[in-house]
Amino acid sequence: MITVREKVRFVETDMMGVAHHSNHFRWFEMARVEYLRQAGVLLLDLMAQDIVFPITEVSCQYKASAKFDDWLLIEAKLVDLSRAKMVFGYQIIRESDHTLLATGRTQNVFTDGSGRIIRLPLEYYNKLHVLFTSED
């Protein structure tokens, strides 16, 4: 599991100081990108080889509100991996009181720049697989 620490900015809130629900998907993405980085897979390297990974499924279950100035711990864990797709699970936790604010899930498929589904080259798959299997 990879954890990213992030503060809720004022721009991310509504008039009541509560984080807008759409931010959770951005926070998931931040953690997902950091997970890939920790595995040694850099987005710019993938894109240079015409490999992208669009989201095909996304969900979020909101448990409690994140508020302006809260420090959040955004946890990402790879829960399924193949050369065609990867599925991540997430938790967002308020750092100050360890309240679970949200859980979520994303599924990405690997495609080329034209949107055709491809198999992730082994040089990247193997890096992800090492981190994925070390979590079990």
Side-chain angles (χ1 to χ4, degrees):
M1 175 182 6
I2 299 300
T3 302
V4 173
R5 186 174 183 253
E6 187 67 26
K7 191 172 222 178
V8 178
R9 296 168 194 82
F10 184 74
V11 70
E12 296 169 321
T13 65
D14 59 18
M15 292 180 63
M16 298 171 287
V18 174
H20 190 270
H21 66 275
S22 63
N23 291 298
H24 293 66
F25 297 108
R26 290 182 40 251
W27 295 328
F28 291 168
E29 181 177 27
M30 290 168 56
R32 182 173 60 251
V33 169
E34 184 59 27
Y35 188 101
L36 295 174
R37 183 179 291 117
Q38 296 273 336
V41 176
L42 303 178
L43 297 186
L44 292 176
D45 292 344
L46 291 174
M47 293 186 318
Q49 293 190 32
D50 199 32
I51 301 168
V52 293
F53 50 99
I55 290 178
T56 57
E57 293 180 26
V58 62
S59 66
C60 184
Q61 297 76 45
Y62 303 94
K63 310 289 186 183
S65 296
K67 297 187 177 178
F68 172 62
D69 253 359
D70 281 348
W71 278 104
L72 307 178
L73 301 174
I74 306 121
E75 300 175 346
K77 181 176 180 174
L78 195 53
V79 296
D80 189 21
L81 175 67
S82 73
R83 290 186 60 202
K85 73 174 182 181
M86 59 185 172
V87 178
F88 281 92
Y90 306 92
Q91 290 191 13
I92 299 176
I93 298 163
R94 184 175 18 254
E95 186 177 47
S96 64
D97 61 5
H98 305 286
T99 299
L100 178 63
L101 303 178
T103 60
R105 182 180 183 278
T106 58
Q107 176 179 285
N108 301 73
V109 296
F110 299 105
T111 72
D112 62 19
S114 67
R116 184 177 57 91
I117 295 176
I118 61 170
R119 291 171 59 84
L120 186 65
L122 284 174
E123 70 177 289
Y124 300 115
Y125 173 81
N126 289 340
K127 289 178 180 181
L128 284 169
H129 192 260
V130 166
L131 188 52
F132 174 59
T133 55
S134 74
E135 293 180 327
D136 290 340

